[in-house]
Amino acid sequence: LGSCADPSKSSLFQAFAAACAVDGSAFEAANGTWLQPALRIGVVECPGSFAYGEPLKQMLQVAAASFGLSVQCSIHCAEAMEFPEDCDAFIVSGSRQSANDPDEWVVTLQRNVKEAVLRGKTALGVCFGHQVVAAALGGKVVANTKGWELGVNGFDLSAEGCSFCRGHIPDFPAHPRLRYSHQDVVVDLNSEVSGLRSLGGNAMCPIQ
């Protein structure tokens, strides 16, 4: 995700924006096109790495516009234990922390994520964020026995990843190259209970 210099070319955020679209409340505009109310997406900015909030906000606005949608983004500080309550979907950013750390804000974030998902909110986790989502829903996160994954590496979409991404963007690449910086990995999604599915991975980290 971080390797996308041009937000308009971030296919994953286009797929996410399309998946978050609110159904059943569109109205016909004067020019004859169908519009929907703005998607309310909260960005939970976690400490460490870099400031994700504004770049994610820009990517989402450009991605949503490609579908004729608009986005209202709010940015929330995880370390201050803020969380978007009134939203259609939320994103948890990367962090220098581990999803297994006992810090109060990490524990609180996992509780908030679990409660939001159980209320039917759409979630997207970036790096540390996807580890938090997995852990919050009963998955298992551990330090990778293969060591750190650093720099640009390949990513292979799973069958479900292809179905999801290409269901919204037909030409979504099957083998994108992404920028990585992480040691922890998700090794169990607890799928039967959590409903989580892997969109893909690589040799260093099969579940992403």
Side-chain angles (χ1 to χ4, degrees), residues 97-149:
Q97 301 288 127
S98 167
N100 294 320
D101 285 346
D103 302 57
E104 185 180 6
W105 74 265
V106 176
V107 175
T108 300
L109 176 58
Q110 289 193 26
R111 182 176 65 248
N112 287 335
V113 165
K114 181 177 182 179
E115 292 174 354
V117 171
L118 290 176
R119 293 199 307 271
K121 304 300 182 182
T122 301
L124 173 67
V126 179
C127 198
F128 164 81
H130 95 279
Q131 296 159 7
V132 163
V133 172
L137 299 178
K140 186 177 181 180
V141 179
V142 301
N144 196 342
T145 57
K146 299 176 182 178
W148 283 78
E149 184 173 23

Side-chain angles (χ1 to χ4, degrees), residues 52-70:
Y52 279 80
E54 286 302 325
L56 288 179
K57 181 178 179 180
Q58 181 188 8
M59 286 184 181
L60 286 166
Q61 288 172 336
V62 173
S66 70
F67 289 97
L69 304 171
S70 61

